[in-house]
Structure formats: C-alpha cells, structure tokens
Amino acid sequence: MGRVRATAKDIQQVVHELAQPIERVFSEIHILATVTVDVLTTASGGGRRAESGDLALLASVADGTIGRYSLLGGAGVVLNPGFLSDVQAHLEWRQLGRDGRPRSLVLDVDPDSADPYDYWEMEWFRVPREERRRMVGGPYFDYRGADRFGLTFAVPVVVGGEFVGIAGADVPLAQLEPELLPILRRLPRRAALINHENRVITSNSPHYAISARVRADSDASVSVPVVSDLGWTLIINPDT
C-alpha cells in the first residue's frame, strides 16, 4: 500500500483553521487594549499622570474578555514600569479561579522585593515594548499563576506615541489543544505546531512533547507558516 500524503490544498486548509483560534484571542485582546487607551487618555486629560486606581474599572472589562471566549484562563493589562505616578510597577489582571469565576491575580511586582515577579524582563512584555508588535510567550509551565502549561498573548498599548504597557491573555494549553488537535489529526503524517523558538505547542503524535525543541529543518518534509508574524509553523514529518 502506498503512503498517504496530504495535498497542498489539504495542508493550506489545515493552516487556515489552525490560525483561527489564535486570531480570535488577539481580537479579544485588542478590545481590552482599546478600552485601556481610553481609560489612560481620560485619566491624563487633566494634566496629571495616571494612577493605579484609574485602572480599577478595567477589571470588569477583563472579566468580559474572559467570559466571551472559553479559551482564556486570564486577561488584563500590565503597565510599563515607571508609567504610573503612585507605584513603580503594576498589573490589572483577572484570572479564573478553581470555581470558574474571575478574580484578581495578586503578584509581588515591586522591583525592590527579594523575589519580584519581574514581568518587564519576560519575552511577552519585552517584545511588544521594544518592537511594538504582538507576541505570544510560551508554552511554559506557569508556577506562579496557574500551575499548568500555557501561553501568554500580548499586544502593545500605546498612548500618544508612548508605550505604556501590554493588554494580554493567558491561554491554558488544556483549553487550546481541543481546538487544534482535531485539525492536526486530519493530516495523515506526524505533525506539530511549533513556535518561533521551534518549541512544540501541540502535536498529533506523542513523538513531540509540549515545549520540546525540534529541528524544523531536518525533522520535517513540509514546513508551512501558520501565523507568520508570530513565527508559528506547521511541520509535517515524512516517516510516519
């Protein structure tokens, strides 16, 4: 029996469908980013610098973001250190609790603490700050926030030409995989979705472990961009 191969049309359809949940997450984040710009613009309209208290109403917006899309385990805004007048660093972030209800995520972000959550050094914050583009960090095991593998989606928030922070969302892989795996399983060969670091996001085969690094140039006969600006790629192995 000859080997079954996916046609170019089949692969392009898979690529298109794999990108849809990703773009949907970004659509929700952009709503949160737009509201944040409005809030900060209003707060500084009187000639003063914004304070952490000005961001309190974003909690309900983040709750709505989480509620609209079941993939999201958390959402919110993370401010550039030094932007607010009353605190050095701040995040307004909501996360689903074990009861399924959003609650505030409380982390020690004081740079002077012994062990702060130094988000300003993390890729999902650093890339939007330095390159002014959207970013997905992970997959990584989130010990501090959720104790599970996940991804952090982020878009830059810019007010008056100044980068002020990111709007973002946490997406547990346990939530994302059920949307991606049925699509990957339509491919007759071993395949994986990998990120910009060639780390596995998900796969239709146990051959690829989550977050493991692969050599896309030698481990696949087909390598197709899925979300080009993020560096996400579909690889298909010819052997199985």
Side-chain angles (χ1 to χ4, degrees), residues 70-120:
S70 61
L71 282 187
L72 307 186
V77 176
V78 184
L79 276 297
N80 200 28
F83 175 73
L84 297 176
S85 64
D86 58 333
V87 290
Q88 178 62 17
H90 183 72
L91 54 85
E92 197 71 35
W93 198 270
R94 302 284 284 178
Q95 181 170 295
L96 287 179
R98 296 187 183 277
D99 60 358
R101 297 180 181 180
R103 57 180 176 81
S104 294
L105 177 62
V106 179
L107 298 171
D108 182 1
V109 297
D110 183 353
D112 296 327
S113 296
D115 185 27
Y117 181 70
D118 51 352
Y119 63 77
W120 48 89

mmCIF file of all heavy atoms in Angstrom, residues 70-120:
data_model
loop_
_atom_site.group_PDB
_atom_site.id
_atom_site.type_symbol
_atom_site.label_atom_id
_atom_site.label_comp_id
_atom_site.label_asym_id
_atom_site.label_seq_id
_atom_site.Cartn_x
_atom_site.Cartn_y
_atom_site.Cartn_z
ATOM 1 N N SER A 70 -14.029 31.006 25.775
ATOM 2 C CA SER A 70 -13.739 29.996 26.788
ATOM 3 C C SER A 70 -12.282 29.552 26.810
ATOM 4 O O SER A 70 -11.854 28.879 27.739
ATOM 5 C CB SER A 70 -14.640 28.771 26.570
ATOM 6 O OG SER A 70 -14.396 28.196 25.292
ATOM 7 N N LEU A 71 -11.502 29.907 25.793
ATOM 8 C CA LEU A 71 -10.091 29.535 25.782
ATOM 9 C C LEU A 71 -9.287 30.275 26.848
ATOM 10 O O LEU A 71 -8.234 29.812 27.271
ATOM 11 C CB LEU A 71 -9.452 29.847 24.419
ATOM 12 C CG LEU A 71 -9.711 28.905 23.259
ATOM 13 C CD1 LEU A 71 -8.840 29.300 22.072
ATOM 14 C CD2 LEU A 71 -9.427 27.469 23.642
ATOM 15 N N LEU A 72 -9.751 31.421 27.274
ATOM 16 C CA LEU A 72 -8.943 32.290 28.116
ATOM 17 C C LEU A 72 -9.009 31.896 29.587
ATOM 18 O O LEU A 72 -10.083 31.754 30.159
ATOM 19 C CB LEU A 72 -9.387 33.746 27.957
ATOM 20 C CG LEU A 72 -9.446 34.292 26.526
ATOM 21 C CD1 LEU A 72 -9.762 35.775 26.542
ATOM 22 C CD2 LEU A 72 -8.153 34.021 25.780
ATOM 23 N N GLY A 73 -7.838 31.753 30.192
ATOM 24 C CA GLY A 73 -7.771 31.484 31.618
ATOM 25 C C GLY A 73 -7.545 32.745 32.423
ATOM 26 O O GLY A 73 -7.687 32.757 33.651
ATOM 27 N N GLY A 74 -7.209 33.828 31.749
ATOM 28 C CA GLY A 74 -6.984 35.101 32.420
ATOM 29 C C GLY A 74 -6.772 36.184 31.382
ATOM 30 O O GLY A 74 -6.459 35.897 30.222
ATOM 31 N N ALA A 75 -6.958 37.432 31.799
ATOM 32 C CA ALA A 75 -6.762 38.562 30.879
ATOM 33 C C ALA A 75 -6.569 39.825 31.696
ATOM 34 O O ALA A 75 -7.001 39.922 32.844
ATOM 35 C CB ALA A 75 -7.959 38.716 29.934
ATOM 36 N N GLY A 76 -5.919 40.796 31.083
ATOM 37 C CA GLY A 76 -5.725 42.052 31.789
ATOM 38 C C GLY A 76 -4.711 42.946 31.111
ATOM 39 O O GLY A 76 -4.390 42.783 29.924
ATOM 40 N N VAL A 77 -4.201 43.875 31.892
ATOM 41 C CA VAL A 77 -3.257 44.878 31.403
ATOM 42 C C VAL A 77 -2.054 44.902 32.341
ATOM 43 O O VAL A 77 -2.210 44.817 33.559
ATOM 44 C CB VAL A 77 -3.911 46.267 31.344
ATOM 45 C CG1 VAL A 77 -2.920 47.328 30.920
ATOM 46 C CG2 VAL A 77 -5.110 46.257 30.392
ATOM 47 N N VAL A 78 -0.876 45.017 31.745
ATOM 48 C CA VAL A 78 0.369 45.087 32.519
ATOM 49 C C VAL A 78 1.082 46.373 32.111
ATOM 50 O O VAL A 78 1.332 46.600 30.920
ATOM 51 C CB VAL A 78 1.260 43.865 32.254
ATOM 52 C CG1 VAL A 78 2.492 43.910 33.142
ATOM 53 C CG2 VAL A 78 0.484 42.564 32.483
ATOM 54 N N LEU A 79 1.391 47.216 33.084
ATOM 55 C CA LEU A 79 1.911 48.556 32.805
ATOM 56 C C LEU A 79 3.437 48.597 32.765
ATOM 57 O O LEU A 79 4.114 47.877 33.509
ATOM 58 C CB LEU A 79 1.408 49.544 33.853
ATOM 59 C CG LEU A 79 0.008 50.144 33.621
ATOM 60 C CD1 LEU A 79 -0.029 50.962 32.346
ATOM 61 C CD2 LEU A 79 -1.054 49.059 33.576
ATOM 62 N N ASN A 80 3.944 49.458 31.904
ATOM 63 C CA ASN A 80 5.381 49.670 31.820
ATOM 64 C C ASN A 80 5.883 50.287 33.124
ATOM 65 O O ASN A 80 5.305 51.265 33.613
ATOM 66 C CB ASN A 80 5.696 50.616 30.655
ATOM 67 C CG ASN A 80 7.132 50.514 30.201
ATOM 68 O OD1 ASN A 80 7.762 49.470 30.334
ATOM 69 N ND2 ASN A 80 7.653 51.597 29.646
ATOM 70 N N PRO A 81 6.915 49.725 33.741
ATOM 71 C CA PRO A 81 7.432 50.296 34.989
ATOM 72 C C PRO A 81 7.748 51.783 34.844
ATOM 73 O O PRO A 81 8.373 52.212 33.862
ATOM 74 C CB PRO A 81 8.698 49.472 35.243
ATOM 75 C CG PRO A 81 8.411 48.151 34.622
ATOM 76 C CD PRO A 81 7.626 48.482 33.375
ATOM 77 N N GLY A 82 7.300 52.567 35.822
ATOM 78 C CA GLY A 82 7.543 53.998 35.814
ATOM 79 C C GLY A 82 6.458 54.821 35.158
ATOM 80 O O GLY A 82 6.468 56.055 35.249
ATOM 81 N N PHE A 83 5.487 54.166 34.515
ATOM 82 C CA PHE A 83 4.439 54.934 33.839
ATOM 83 C C PHE A 83 3.455 55.549 34.825
ATOM 84 O O PHE A 83 3.052 56.704 34.676
ATOM 85 C CB PHE A 83 3.690 54.058 32.838
ATOM 86 C CG PHE A 83 2.525 54.752 32.193
ATOM 87 C CD1 PHE A 83 2.721 55.724 31.242
ATOM 88 C CD2 PHE A 83 1.214 54.455 32.572
ATOM 89 C CE1 PHE A 83 1.649 56.389 30.657
ATOM 90 C CE2 PHE A 83 0.135 55.110 32.002
ATOM 91 C CZ PHE A 83 0.353 56.080 31.038
ATOM 92 N N LEU A 84 3.029 54.802 35.829
ATOM 93 C CA LEU A 84 2.063 55.306 36.800
ATOM 94 C C LEU A 84 2.750 56.173 37.842
ATOM 95 O O LEU A 84 3.935 56.006 38.139
ATOM 96 C CB LEU A 84 1.346 54.133 37.474
ATOM 97 C CG LEU A 84 0.506 53.235 36.550
ATOM 98 C CD1 LEU A 84 -0.060 52.064 37.335
ATOM 99 C CD2 LEU A 84 -0.605 54.030 35.872
ATOM 100 N N SER A 85 1.986 57.082 38.424
ATOM 101 C CA SER A 85 2.566 58.041 39.367
ATOM 102 C C SER A 85 2.716 57.498 40.775
ATOM 103 O O SER A 85 3.557 57.990 41.538
ATOM 104 C CB SER A 85 1.699 59.317 39.405
ATOM 105 O OG SER A 85 0.393 59.019 39.899
ATOM 106 N N ASP A 86 1.915 56.492 41.153
ATOM 107 C CA ASP A 86 1.898 56.072 42.558
ATOM 108 C C ASP A 86 2.606 54.753 42.840
ATOM 109 O O ASP A 86 2.891 54.438 43.996
ATOM 110 C CB ASP A 86 0.456 55.984 43.072
ATOM 111 C CG ASP A 86 -0.402 55.026 42.278
ATOM 112 O OD1 ASP A 86 -0.111 54.824 41.078
ATOM 113 O OD2 ASP A 86 -1.363 54.460 42.837
ATOM 114 N N VAL A 87 2.881 53.969 41.827
ATOM 115 C CA VAL A 87 3.593 52.700 42.010
ATOM 116 C C VAL A 87 4.604 52.537 40.876
ATOM 117 O O VAL A 87 4.394 53.030 39.772
ATOM 118 C CB VAL A 87 2.637 51.483 42.035
ATOM 119 C CG1 VAL A 87 1.792 51.473 43.293
ATOM 120 C CG2 VAL A 87 1.761 51.442 40.784
ATOM 121 N N GLN A 88 5.676 51.800 41.154
ATOM 122 C CA GLN A 88 6.708 51.614 40.142
ATOM 123 C C GLN A 88 6.271 50.633 39.072
ATOM 124 O O GLN A 88 6.557 50.820 37.887
ATOM 125 C CB GLN A 88 7.998 51.124 40.809
ATOM 126 C CG GLN A 88 9.154 50.850 39.845
ATOM 127 C CD GLN A 88 9.626 52.074 39.087
ATOM 128 O OE1 GLN A 88 9.328 53.197 39.478
ATOM 129 N NE2 GLN A 88 10.344 51.867 37.984
ATOM 130 N N ALA A 89 5.582 49.564 39.498
ATOM 131 C CA ALA A 89 5.132 48.543 38.549
ATOM 132 C C ALA A 89 3.728 48.101 38.949
ATOM 133 O O ALA A 89 3.382 48.096 40.131
ATOM 134 C CB ALA A 89 6.089 47.350 38.543
ATOM 135 N N HIS A 90 2.940 47.705 37.941
ATOM 136 C CA HIS A 90 1.543 47.379 38.260
ATOM 137 C C HIS A 90 0.940 46.512 37.152
ATOM 138 O O HIS A 90 1.235 46.681 35.967
ATOM 139 C CB HIS A 90 0.721 48.656 38.390
ATOM 140 C CG HIS A 90 -0.698 48.412 38.778
ATOM 141 N ND1 HIS A 90 -1.076 48.015 40.032
ATOM 142 C CD2 HIS A 90 -1.849 48.514 38.061
ATOM 143 C CE1 HIS A 90 -2.392 47.880 40.088
ATOM 144 N NE2 HIS A 90 -2.887 48.174 38.902
ATOM 145 N N LEU A 91 0.095 45.567 37.574
ATOM 146 C CA LEU A 91 -0.722 44.828 36.616
ATOM 147 C C LEU A 91 -2.162 44.797 37.111
ATOM 148 O O LEU A 91 -2.412 44.715 38.320
ATOM 149 C CB LEU A 91 -0.187 43.410 36.386
ATOM 150 C CG LEU A 91 0.056 42.475 37.572
ATOM 151 C CD1 LEU A 91 -1.222 41.757 37.969
ATOM 152 C CD2 LEU A 91 1.112 41.440 37.206
ATOM 153 N N GLU A 92 -3.065 44.928 36.187
ATOM 154 C CA GLU A 92 -4.501 44.819 36.458
ATOM 155 C C GLU A 92 -4.955 43.574 35.713
ATOM 156 O O GLU A 92 -5.311 43.633 34.536
ATOM 157 C CB GLU A 92 -5.230 46.071 35.962
ATOM 158 C CG GLU A 92 -6.614 46.259 36.523
ATOM 159 C CD GLU A 92 -6.626 46.650 38.000
ATOM 160 O OE1 GLU A 92 -5.726 47.392 38.438
ATOM 161 O OE2 GLU A 92 -7.561 46.217 38.709
ATOM 162 N N TRP A 93 -4.910 42.439 36.403
ATOM 163 C CA TRP A 93 -5.072 41.159 35.731
ATOM 164 C C TRP A 93 -6.114 40.317 36.460
ATOM 165 O O TRP A 93 -6.118 40.246 37.679
ATOM 166 C CB TRP A 93 -3.746 40.401 35.720
ATOM 167 C CG TRP A 93 -3.668 39.299 34.711
ATOM 168 C CD1 TRP A 93 -4.025 38.002 34.887
ATOM 169 C CD2 TRP A 93 -3.190 39.397 33.367
ATOM 170 N NE1 TRP A 93 -3.813 37.281 33.734
ATOM 171 C CE2 TRP A 93 -3.292 38.111 32.785
ATOM 172 C CE3 TRP A 93 -2.682 40.456 32.595
ATOM 173 C CZ2 TRP A 93 -2.905 37.857 31.462
ATOM 174 C CZ3 TRP A 93 -2.307 40.198 31.294
ATOM 175 C CH2 TRP A 93 -2.407 38.918 30.737
ATOM 176 N N ARG A 94 -6.977 39.698 35.673
ATOM 177 C CA ARG A 94 -8.013 38.829 36.226
ATOM 178 C C ARG A 94 -7.757 37.398 35.756
ATOM 179 O O ARG A 94 -7.390 37.172 34.604
ATOM 180 C CB ARG A 94 -9.382 39.297 35.760
ATOM 181 C CG ARG A 94 -9.704 40.736 36.146
ATOM 182 C CD ARG A 94 -10.065 40.852 37.596
ATOM 183 N NE ARG A 94 -11.413 40.362 37.847
ATOM 184 C CZ ARG A 94 -11.981 40.300 39.048
ATOM 185 N NH1 ARG A 94 -11.297 40.665 40.133
ATOM 186 N NH2 ARG A 94 -13.212 39.853 39.184
ATOM 187 N N GLN A 95 -7.976 36.462 36.657
ATOM 188 C CA GLN A 95 -7.710 35.064 36.356
ATOM 189 C C GLN A 95 -8.833 34.199 36.883
ATOM 190 O O GLN A 95 -9.367 34.452 37.965
ATOM 191 C CB GLN A 95 -6.392 34.649 37.005
ATOM 192 C CG GLN A 95 -5.999 33.201 36.735
ATOM 193 C CD GLN A 95 -4.585 32.927 37.197
ATOM 194 O OE1 GLN A 95 -3.628 33.487 36.650
ATOM 195 N NE2 GLN A 95 -4.428 32.092 38.189
ATOM 196 N N LEU A 96 -9.190 33.169 36.111
ATOM 197 C CA LEU A 96 -10.248 32.269 36.551
ATOM 198 C C LEU A 96 -9.782 31.461 37.751
ATOM 199 O O LEU A 96 -8.701 30.858 37.737
ATOM 200 C CB LEU A 96 -10.639 31.314 35.424
ATOM 201 C CG LEU A 96 -11.450 31.903 34.268
ATOM 202 C CD1 LEU A 96 -11.728 30.812 33.235
ATOM 203 C CD2 LEU A 96 -12.747 32.502 34.761
ATOM 204 N N GLY A 97 -10.594 31.455 38.809
ATOM 205 C CA GLY A 97 -10.303 30.632 39.970
ATOM 206 C C GLY A 97 -10.790 29.213 39.755
ATOM 207 O O GLY A 97 -11.377 28.873 38.721
ATOM 208 N N ARG A 98 -10.573 28.372 40.743
ATOM 209 C CA ARG A 98 -10.993 26.973 40.620
ATOM 210 C C ARG A 98 -12.518 26.838 40.542
ATOM 211 O O ARG A 98 -13.026 25.829 40.066
ATOM 212 C CB ARG A 98 -10.445 26.163 41.801
ATOM 213 C CG ARG A 98 -8.927 26.099 41.816
ATOM 214 C CD ARG A 98 -8.409 25.164 42.896
ATOM 215 N NE ARG A 98 -6.957 25.167 42.933
ATOM 216 C CZ ARG A 98 -6.182 24.450 42.139
ATOM 217 N NH1 ARG A 98 -6.733 23.660 41.220
ATOM 218 N NH2 ARG A 98 -4.860 24.493 42.239
ATOM 219 N N ASP A 99 -13.214 27.866 41.017
ATOM 220 C CA ASP A 99 -14.668 27.833 40.942
ATOM 221 C C ASP A 99 -15.191 28.358 39.613
ATOM 222 O O ASP A 99 -16.402 28.458 39.397
ATOM 223 C CB ASP A 99 -15.277 28.633 42.091
ATOM 224 C CG ASP A 99 -14.853 30.104 42.078
ATOM 225 O OD1 ASP A 99 -14.046 30.497 41.201
ATOM 226 O OD2 ASP A 99 -15.309 30.860 42.963
ATOM 227 N N GLY A 100 -14.266 28.720 38.702
ATOM 228 C CA GLY A 100 -14.664 29.205 37.389
ATOM 229 C C GLY A 100 -15.006 30.676 37.345
ATOM 230 O O GLY A 100 -15.442 31.184 36.307
ATOM 231 N N ARG A 101 -14.783 31.391 38.454
ATOM 232 C CA ARG A 101 -15.083 32.820 38.497
ATOM 233 C C ARG A 101 -13.799 33.644 38.428
ATOM 234 O O ARG A 101 -12.790 33.272 39.021
ATOM 235 C CB ARG A 101 -15.840 33.157 39.784
ATOM 236 C CG ARG A 101 -17.203 32.477 39.900
ATOM 237 C CD ARG A 101 -17.876 32.859 41.204
ATOM 238 N NE ARG A 101 -19.173 32.203 41.351
ATOM 239 C CZ ARG A 101 -19.973 32.363 42.403
ATOM 240 N NH1 ARG A 101 -19.595 33.151 43.416
ATOM 241 N NH2 ARG A 101 -21.136 31.733 42.451
ATOM 242 N N PRO A 102 -13.837 34.766 37.713
ATOM 243 C CA PRO A 102 -12.645 35.618 37.641
ATOM 244 C C PRO A 102 -12.330 36.247 39.003
ATOM 245 O O PRO A 102 -13.224 36.621 39.752
ATOM 246 C CB PRO A 102 -13.042 36.696 36.622
ATOM 247 C CG PRO A 102 -14.201 36.137 35.879
ATOM 248 C CD PRO A 102 -14.925 35.265 36.855
ATOM 249 N N ARG A 103 -11.053 36.344 39.282
ATOM 250 C CA ARG A 103 -10.583 37.011 40.498
ATOM 251 C C ARG A 103 -9.287 37.735 40.165
ATOM 252 O O ARG A 103 -8.629 37.432 39.163
ATOM 253 C CB ARG A 103 -10.339 35.991 41.609
ATOM 254 C CG ARG A 103 -9.356 34.881 41.258
ATOM 255 C CD ARG A 103 -9.168 33.908 42.396
ATOM 256 N NE ARG A 103 -8.308 32.782 42.034
ATOM 257 C CZ ARG A 103 -6.982 32.803 42.009
ATOM 258 N NH1 ARG A 103 -6.357 33.945 42.308
ATOM 259 N NH2 ARG A 103 -6.285 31.742 41.672
ATOM 260 N N SER A 104 -8.917 38.675 40.994
ATOM 261 C CA SER A 104 -7.676 39.415 40.753
ATOM 262 C C SER A 104 -6.473 38.520 40.978
ATOM 263 O O SER A 104 -6.429 37.754 41.944
ATOM 264 C CB SER A 104 -7.599 40.628 41.679
ATOM 265 O OG SER A 104 -8.597 41.563 41.368
ATOM 266 N N LEU A 105 -5.520 38.619 40.089
ATOM 267 C CA LEU A 105 -4.252 37.919 40.257
ATOM 268 C C LEU A 105 -3.314 38.849 41.014
ATOM 269 O O LEU A 105 -2.990 39.941 40.552
ATOM 270 C CB LEU A 105 -3.661 37.561 38.896
ATOM 271 C CG LEU A 105 -2.292 36.876 38.915
ATOM 272 C CD1 LEU A 105 -2.358 35.534 39.638
ATOM 273 C CD2 LEU A 105 -1.763 36.696 37.496
ATOM 274 N N VAL A 106 -2.895 38.421 42.183
ATOM 275 C CA VAL A 106 -2.040 39.245 43.037
ATOM 276 C C VAL A 106 -0.627 38.675 43.015
ATOM 277 O O VAL A 106 -0.397 37.538 43.435
ATOM 278 C CB VAL A 106 -2.568 39.291 44.484
ATOM 279 C CG1 VAL A 106 -1.650 40.144 45.354
ATOM 280 C CG2 VAL A 106 -3.989 39.832 44.507
ATOM 281 N N LEU A 107 0.305 39.450 42.502
ATOM 282 C CA LEU A 107 1.706 39.060 42.431
ATOM 283 C C LEU A 107 2.571 40.181 42.987
ATOM 284 O O LEU A 107 2.203 41.356 42.919
ATOM 285 C CB LEU A 107 2.121 38.767 40.984
ATOM 286 C CG LEU A 107 1.399 37.626 40.266
ATOM 287 C CD1 LEU A 107 1.776 37.622 38.792
ATOM 288 C CD2 LEU A 107 1.743 36.287 40.898
ATOM 289 N N ASP A 108 3.706 39.818 43.529
ATOM 290 C CA ASP A 108 4.656 40.808 44.034
ATOM 291 C C ASP A 108 5.462 41.336 42.855
ATOM 292 O O ASP A 108 6.348 40.651 42.334
ATOM 293 C CB ASP A 108 5.573 40.167 45.071
ATOM 294 C CG ASP A 108 6.565 41.171 45.662
ATOM 295 O OD1 ASP A 108 6.512 42.360 45.274
ATOM 296 O OD2 ASP A 108 7.394 40.760 46.494
ATOM 297 N N VAL A 109 5.146 42.551 42.417
ATOM 298 C CA VAL A 109 5.845 43.142 41.278
ATOM 299 C C VAL A 109 6.728 44.314 41.699
ATOM 300 O O VAL A 109 7.189 45.076 40.849
ATOM 301 C CB VAL A 109 4.841 43.597 40.185
ATOM 302 C CG1 VAL A 109 4.091 42.411 39.620
ATOM 303 C CG2 VAL A 109 3.865 44.637 40.734
ATOM 304 N N ASP A 110 6.978 44.437 42.989
ATOM 305 C CA ASP A 110 7.849 45.505 43.494
ATOM 306 C C ASP A 110 9.291 45.184 43.120
ATOM 307 O O ASP A 110 9.847 44.185 43.580
ATOM 308 C CB ASP A 110 7.704 45.610 45.006
ATOM 309 C CG ASP A 110 8.528 46.749 45.594
ATOM 310 O OD1 ASP A 110 9.310 47.373 44.839
ATOM 311 O OD2 ASP A 110 8.400 46.999 46.807
ATOM 312 N N PRO A 111 9.927 46.015 42.284
ATOM 313 C CA PRO A 111 11.311 45.725 41.874
ATOM 314 C C PRO A 111 12.286 45.636 43.033
ATOM 315 O O PRO A 111 13.352 45.025 42.902
ATOM 316 C CB PRO A 111 11.654 46.908 40.954
ATOM 317 C CG PRO A 111 10.335 47.422 40.471
ATOM 318 C CD PRO A 111 9.396 47.225 41.632
ATOM 319 N N ASP A 112 11.933 46.234 44.176
ATOM 320 C CA ASP A 112 12.824 46.217 45.335
ATOM 321 C C ASP A 112 12.628 44.996 46.221
ATOM 322 O O ASP A 112 13.336 44.829 47.220
ATOM 323 C CB ASP A 112 12.620 47.492 46.173
ATOM 324 C CG ASP A 112 13.018 48.748 45.408
ATOM 325 O OD1 ASP A 112 13.964 48.668 44.598
ATOM 326 O OD2 ASP A 112 12.382 49.797 45.618
ATOM 327 N N SER A 113 11.662 44.135 45.884
ATOM 328 C CA SER A 113 11.430 42.936 46.677
ATOM 329 C C SER A 113 12.556 41.915 46.452
ATOM 330 O O SER A 113 13.305 41.990 45.478
ATOM 331 C CB SER A 113 10.095 42.293 46.300
ATOM 332 O OG SER A 113 9.016 43.158 46.622
ATOM 333 N N ALA A 114 12.633 40.959 47.369
ATOM 334 C CA ALA A 114 13.677 39.940 47.263
ATOM 335 C C ALA A 114 13.476 39.041 46.050
ATOM 336 O O ALA A 114 14.437 38.617 45.408
ATOM 337 C CB ALA A 114 13.702 39.099 48.544
ATOM 338 N N ASP A 115 12.216 38.753 45.717
ATOM 339 C CA ASP A 115 11.924 37.857 44.592
ATOM 340 C C ASP A 115 10.692 38.356 43.849
ATOM 341 O O ASP A 115 9.632 37.735 43.884
ATOM 342 C CB ASP A 115 11.698 36.432 45.108
ATOM 343 C CG ASP A 115 11.499 35.428 43.970
ATOM 344 O OD1 ASP A 115 12.021 35.680 42.871
ATOM 345 O OD2 ASP A 115 10.816 34.408 44.205
ATOM 346 N N PRO A 116 10.829 39.474 43.134
ATOM 347 C CA PRO A 116 9.655 40.031 42.452
ATOM 348 C C PRO A 116 9.304 39.245 41.197
ATOM 349 O O PRO A 116 10.150 38.558 40.610
ATOM 350 C CB PRO A 116 10.116 41.443 42.083
ATOM 351 C CG PRO A 116 11.592 41.299 41.875
ATOM 352 C CD PRO A 116 12.033 40.285 42.913
ATOM 353 N N TYR A 117 8.033 39.355 40.801
ATOM 354 C CA TYR A 117 7.605 38.826 39.506
ATOM 355 C C TYR A 117 8.016 39.870 38.473
ATOM 356 O O TYR A 117 7.294 40.831 38.202
ATOM 357 C CB TYR A 117 6.097 38.605 39.511
ATOM 358 C CG TYR A 117 5.548 38.025 38.229
ATOM 359 C CD1 TYR A 117 5.822 36.713 37.862
ATOM 360 C CD2 TYR A 117 4.739 38.786 37.385
ATOM 361 C CE1 TYR A 117 5.317 36.171 36.686
ATOM 362 C CE2 TYR A 117 4.228 38.257 36.212
ATOM 363 C CZ TYR A 117 4.524 36.953 35.869
ATOM 364 O OH TYR A 117 4.023 36.422 34.699
ATOM 365 N N ASP A 118 9.192 39.701 37.891
ATOM 366 C CA ASP A 118 9.787 40.727 37.028
ATOM 367 C C ASP A 118 9.278 40.612 35.596
ATOM 368 O O ASP A 118 10.015 40.254 34.676
ATOM 369 C CB ASP A 118 11.307 40.669 37.087
ATOM 370 C CG ASP A 118 11.874 39.276 36.838
ATOM 371 O OD1 ASP A 118 11.069 38.317 36.770
ATOM 372 O OD2 ASP A 118 13.098 39.143 36.707
ATOM 373 N N TYR A 119 8.015 40.934 35.419
ATOM 374 C CA TYR A 119 7.374 40.787 34.111
ATOM 375 C C TYR A 119 8.052 41.623 33.036
ATOM 376 O O TYR A 119 8.009 41.285 31.852
ATOM 377 C CB TYR A 119 5.885 41.140 34.203
ATOM 378 C CG TYR A 119 5.577 42.566 34.583
ATOM 379 C CD1 TYR A 119 5.692 43.606 33.671
ATOM 380 C CD2 TYR A 119 5.144 42.875 35.870
ATOM 381 C CE1 TYR A 119 5.396 44.914 34.016
ATOM 382 C CE2 TYR A 119 4.843 44.180 36.228
ATOM 383 C CZ TYR A 119 4.971 45.203 35.303
ATOM 384 O OH TYR A 119 4.676 46.487 35.660
ATOM 385 N N TRP A 120 8.688 42.723 33.415
ATOM 386 C CA TRP A 120 9.327 43.612 32.449
ATOM 387 C C TRP A 120 10.503 42.952 31.742
ATOM 388 O O TRP A 120 10.959 43.431 30.715
ATOM 389 C CB TRP A 120 9.787 44.887 33.147
ATOM 390 C CG TRP A 120 10.546 44.637 34.420
ATOM 391 C CD1 TRP A 120 11.899 44.446 34.557
ATOM 392 C CD2 TRP A 120 9.985 44.514 35.723
ATOM 393 N NE1 TRP A 120 12.210 44.215 35.866
ATOM 394 C CE2 TRP A 120 11.066 44.262 36.616
ATOM 395 C CE3 TRP A 120 8.698 44.599 36.235
ATOM 396 C CZ2 TRP A 120 10.869 44.073 37.992
ATOM 397 C CZ3 TRP A 120 8.500 44.435 37.608
ATOM 398 C CH2 TRP A 120 9.574 44.178 38.469
#
